[in-house]
Amino acid sequence: MESSLPGLEAILLVGGQGTRLRPLTLGTPKPLLPTAGVPFLAHQLARARSFGVRRIVFATSYKASMFEPVFGDGAAFGLSLEYITEQTPLGTGGAIRNAAEALTSGPDDPVLILNGDILSGHDIGEQVSLHRAREAAVTLHLTEVDDPTRFGCVPTDESGRVTAFLEKTPNPVTNRINAGCYVFTRSVIDSIPSGEVVSVERETFPGLIESGQLVLGYATPTYWLDVGTPAAFVQGSRDLVLGRLASPALPGPTGEYLALDGARISPEAKVQGGTTVGARCVVEAGASVVGSVLSDDSVIEAGASVVDSVVGQGARVCAGAVVRDAVIGDGAIVGPGNELQNGVRIWPGVELPERALRYSSDV
């Protein structure tokens, strides 16, 4: 049962540059990339709202001015939104401390911290209830992954108390990792030094553990995804369209594909696997699109095949081209007969001539 948390405030960390997602993030910050038909953050805002969160402070840095025009004061989401910008990046702890200036909650109140690049299906209400019941300093959402070396590894004792915080270590002692959603007691945020670069992972959490304060782990087996790479970004969009993760922000029913306003899909085209077909997109006869994100105004010509890929705004994949596990930048043109695969990225506006790039040796 998802519990409601009236009056809970949240800070949303959206300062990152999204370098691993270039060229998608050259003009758009990662949290604003269209994901299953809406800006990525719309899914997070709608989920937070569903748990009773009513006020969210955005901690922005990279392309900070782009957020407010998209989300405004939050009224469309049933939320009240504030925007706090770091003039110089302050790290996760510094960003949280900086954004806390805009909070209205008291010293003993819980404050939810969300990361702008995570999709999670866990019960935020339950995490906050646990935090309150145990009177913890911080309660971290933990999830289990196959390869914990890329993440902060978080061992706990039998009571759920976090015993160490091991940031990206080659020999992890557990496959439980920091899933990027925290509940802080407000006074703990206020104890982070103001205006300084601080990492919660390397400084704040280990410091709290060392001083004997209660840092709790809330571990769940629910859906979780860090969308920091193109492959993960495509997977997140696909999972939302297919309904593997429920989102109140999805702009249509779940299914094999989601088509936005003005999209034109030929009855002789095959579109499936959780594909998003952007506004005014054209998918011609004989084209096949599987598990991909087609941005607004893009064109997939007759007989072209697009699998597990992102096709940028206004980009064109010409007849017979094959695009698999690739990113095509805005306005780029993939000429007929090209084969793109294995994570290749085409920068915005680039035009690939006919048969410029092949992997197979057929004529």
Side-chain angles (χ1 to χ4, degrees), residues 32 143 172 277 349:
L32 296 182
T143 190
V277 183

Side-chain angles (χ1 to χ4, degrees), residues 24 34 233-234 276 278 281 289 292-300 305-317 323 326-332 334:
L24 300 175
F233 169 69
V234 170
T276 300
C281 244
V289 185
S292 295
V293 176
L294 307 182
S295 306
D296 295 350
D297 302 298
S298 59
V299 177
I300 312 301
S305 169
V306 179
V307 181
D308 297 343
S309 296
V310 182
V311 178
Q313 214 167 325
R316 178 179 287 266
V317 178
V323 175
V327 177
I328 312 299
D330 294 348
V334 178

Side-chain angles (χ1 to χ4, degrees), residues 31-101:
L32 296 182
L33 289 175
T35 311
V38 292
F40 179 79
L41 284 186
H43 299 290
Q44 281 197 328
L45 296 180
R47 282 204 87 239
R49 173 74 174 69
S50 75
F51 284 105
V53 174
R54 291 294 175 267
R55 192 159 177 280
I56 298 181
V57 181
F58 277 53
T60 65
S61 177
Y62 177 68
K63 296 194 182 292
S65 62
M66 293 183 72
F67 290 91
E68 196 163 352
V70 176
F71 298 110
D73 62 2
F77 292 86
L79 292 165
S80 156
L81 300 180
E82 296 266 340
Y83 301 85
I84 299 284
T85 302
E86 299 159 43
Q87 300 317 313
T88 55
L90 295 170
T92 45
I96 291 167
R97 176 69 179 83
N98 191 51
E101 303 292 338

Side-chain angles (χ1 to χ4, degrees), residues 181-201:
C181 175
Y182 319 129
V183 182
F184 271 81
T185 296
R186 168 71 196 270
S187 58
V188 176
I189 296 178
D190 294 337
S191 71
I192 297 172
S194 176
E196 292 181 24
V197 177
V198 179
S199 159
V200 287
E201 299 87 355

Side-chain angles (χ1 to χ4, degrees), residues 114-351:
L114 299 165
N115 264 289
D117 48 9
I118 300 293
L119 278 177
S120 177
H122 80 286
D123 187 330
I124 291 169
E126 203 170 84
Q127 184 180 356
V128 175
S129 299
L130 175 72
H131 177 86
R132 280 184 162 138
R134 298 280 299 274
E135 298 182 345
V138 185
T139 302
L140 314 173
H141 176 221
L142 308 181
T143 190
E144 296 193 354
V145 293
D146 295 334
D147 175 16
T149 56
R150 297 187 304 120
F151 301 97
C153 170
V154 187
T156 54
D157 68 14
E158 61 286 347
S159 74
R161 180 189 278 265
V162 174
T163 53
F165 204 93
L166 311 168
E167 190 62 5
K168 297 186 182 65
T169 166
N171 301 304
V173 295
T174 170
N175 62 352
R176 276 191 179 168
I177 61 140
N178 166 21
C181 175
Y182 319 129
V183 182
F184 271 81
T185 296
R186 168 71 196 270
S187 58
V188 176
I189 296 178
D190 294 337
S191 71
I192 297 172
S194 176
E196 292 181 24
V197 177
V198 179
S199 159
V200 287
E201 299 87 355
R202 291 186 176 83
E203 297 167 70
T204 310
F205 297 151
L208 289 168
I209 291 165
E210 216 168 288
S211 68
Q213 297 208 55
L214 179 57
V215 177
L216 273 182
Y218 170 66
T220 68
T222 42
Y223 183 98
W224 184 85
L225 184 69
D226 170 350
V227 296
T229 65
F233 169 69
V234 170
Q235 185 193 332
S237 185
R238 186 167 61 218
D239 287 347
L240 286 158
V241 173
L242 289 168
R244 290 175 183 160
L245 174 66
S247 169
L250 196 71
T254 57
E256 288 296 321
Y257 66 89
L258 171 70
L260 301 181
D261 288 352
R264 300 207 310 276
I265 302 171
S266 161
E268 281 85 53
K270 188 174 85 175
V271 181
Q272 59 191 46
T275 292
T276 300
V277 183
R280 300 168 303 281
C281 244
V282 177
V283 182
E284 294 183 358
S288 169
V289 185
V290 182
S292 295
V293 176
L294 307 182
S295 306
D296 295 350
D297 302 298
S298 59
V299 177
I300 312 301
E301 290 187 2
S305 169
V306 179
V307 181
D308 297 343
S309 296
V310 182
V311 178
Q313 214 167 325
R316 178 179 287 266
V317 178
C318 295
V322 175
V323 175
R324 178 184 290 274
D325 183 26
V327 177
I328 312 299
D330 294 348
I333 297 174
V334 178
N338 280 289
E339 285 181 24
L340 307 181
Q341 57 190 47
N342 300 343
V344 70
R345 304 176 191 214
I346 306 298
W347 247 237
V350 168
E351 188 165 348

